[in-house]
């Protein structure tokens, strides 16, 4: 793999090669991102609002609905992409060689620790129970942990599978820093991935919203590297899902211990 090749003598530390910038594919990617995320989220919100009793007013059930709708939208987009842009690779396959699953588990655990500190450092310093909306019930705890893990398959299909797959063809080029190398499309989609979390600026403290933008971008680059290295979405799905699951599990635990 090119991203593990040793640096040749005199090779620059940072390099962009083969880059051909086109604005319209980036705009299209931003539109498609919302087209895959927004209808599922709002459809789930409408169903939850009109059937709250059926879902026993469990917020995690709304999240689960939204994820199911968004996964369906992402898979549909991959089918359309295979028809209209057949040279694009969504990497929706079982790893053909090394799976990188073990590394993905370690990366996910590290991401969980980073998110926990970035999101809740004031509470960690003062040993105060983190404020959260998680239902700490027999159904709520496993429900929330399940939907947090499912965020991995959900968002990786959309962001890395569809958007990176499409932009790798339409906006070619590669970027390298040392031995870390990914397509330019991965950088663009990582920026979109951070932008997709804009709601944190309205719902969370400013320090938390800024931190989420920074680590979402960095994590997005890592997911692309895992996808390219394994030629599959499996490893980034696992790293993403494990990171979200472990952070929420830690928040739940601390909310009990420090209450």
């Amino acid at each position: 793999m090119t991203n593990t090749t040793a640096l040749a003598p005199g090779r620059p530390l940072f390099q962009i090669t083969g880059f051909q910038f086109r604005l319209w594919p980036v705009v299209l990617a931003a539109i498609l991102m919302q087209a895959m995320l927004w209808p599922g989220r709002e459809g789930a919100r409408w169903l939850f609002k009109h059937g709250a009793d059926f879902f026993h007013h469990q917020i995690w059930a709304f999240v689960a609905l939204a994820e199911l709708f968004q996964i369906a939208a992402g898979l549909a987009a991959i089918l359309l992409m295979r028809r209209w842009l057949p040279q694009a690779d969504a990497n929706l396959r079982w790893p053909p060689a090394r799976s990188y699953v073990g590394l993905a588990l370690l990366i996910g655990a590290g991401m969980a620790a980073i998110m926990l500190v970035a999101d809740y450092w004031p509470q960690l310093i003062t040993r105060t129970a983190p404020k959260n909306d998680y239902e700490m019930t027999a159904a709520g705890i496993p429900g929330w942990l399940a939907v947090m893990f499912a965020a991995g398959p959900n968002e990786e299909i959309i962001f890395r599978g569809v958007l990176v797959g499409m932009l790798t063809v339409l906006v070619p080029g590669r970027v390298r820093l040392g031995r870390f190398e990914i397509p330019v499309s991965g950088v663009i989609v990582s920026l979109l991935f951070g932008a997709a979390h804009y709601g944190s600026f309205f719902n969370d403290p400013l320090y938390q919203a800024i931190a989420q933008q920074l680590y979402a971008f960095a994590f997005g680059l890592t997911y692309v590297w895992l996808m390219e290295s394994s030629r599959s979405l499996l490893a980034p799905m696992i790293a993403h899902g494990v990171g979200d699951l472990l952070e929420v599990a830690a928040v739940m635990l601390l909310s009990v211990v420090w209450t």
Side-chain angles (χ1 to χ4, degrees):
M1 296 294 295
T2 56
N3 53 10
T4 58
T5 302
L7 289 176
R11 192 180 184 188
L13 178 65
F14 177 78
Q15 188 176 31
I16 299 176
T17 57
F19 179 43
Q20 298 178 24
F21 179 72
R22 299 183 182 96
L23 180 60
W24 71 264
V26 178
V27 174
L28 176 61
I31 294 172
L32 288 177
M33 176 184 73
Q34 289 301 328
M36 289 182 283
L37 294 175
W38 186 85
R41 181 175 62 247
E42 295 307 311
R45 195 186 310 278
W46 186 89
L47 286 175
F48 187 78
K49 180 179 179 180
H50 291 82
D53 291 337
F54 177 79
F55 297 107
H56 301 285
H57 299 269
Q58 299 286 301
I59 300 175
W60 65 266
F62 154 72
V63 178
L65 281 173
E67 288 179 339
L68 286 174
F69 294 155
Q70 290 168 352
I71 287 174
L75 293 175
I78 287 176
L79 290 176
L80 293 174
M81 186 169 68
R82 286 176 176 173
R83 179 178 179 84
W84 292 338
L85 195 66
Q87 62 270 47
D89 187 0
N91 287 285
L92 190 62
R93 66 173 70 89
W94 192 257
R98 183 182 174 186
S99 70
Y100 285 75
V101 166
L103 180 60
L105 290 170
L106 292 175
I107 289 175
M111 289 176 170
I114 291 171
M115 290 189 291
L116 183 66
V117 173
D119 294 342
Y120 298 102
W121 62 266
Q123 293 91 337
L124 295 176
I125 292 175
T126 59
R127 292 180 176 269
T128 304
K131 294 182 180 180
N132 62 81
D133 297 321
Y134 306 129
E135 294 95 348
M136 299 293 288
T137 64
I141 293 175
W144 272 111
L145 295 180
V147 297
M148 287 297 102
F149 182 77
N154 172 28
E155 296 185 2
E156 291 312 302
I157 288 172
I158 291 174
F159 285 93
R160 259 55 66 176
V162 177
L163 300 183
V164 172
M166 178 188 74
L167 288 181
T168 297
V169 175
L170 300 179
V171 186
R174 298 189 66 79
V175 59
R176 179 182 57 78
L177 178 62
R179 296 183 181 180
F180 182 83
E181 183 177 335
I182 59 173
V184 171
S185 59
V187 179
I188 296 171
V189 173
S190 294
L191 290 170
L192 293 176
F193 183 58
H197 297 79
Y198 70 90
S200 59
F201 284 100
F202 302 100
N203 303 315
D204 301 318
L206 182 60
Y207 71 83
Q208 188 174 358
I210 294 174
Q212 287 180 2
Q213 293 294 308
L214 295 175
Y215 66 61
F217 174 71
F219 293 175
L221 300 178
T222 306
Y223 299 144
V224 174
W225 181 85
L226 284 171
M227 180 183 72
E228 271 214 330
S229 298
S230 63
R231 296 176 57 200
S232 169
L233 286 177
L234 179 63
M237 285 178 177
I238 290 175
H240 193 153
V242 167
D244 287 0
L245 182 153
L246 290 181
E247 186 199 17
V248 170
V251 170
M252 288 180 169
L253 179 61
L254 292 177
S255 67
V256 173
V257 172
W258 288 343
T259 296

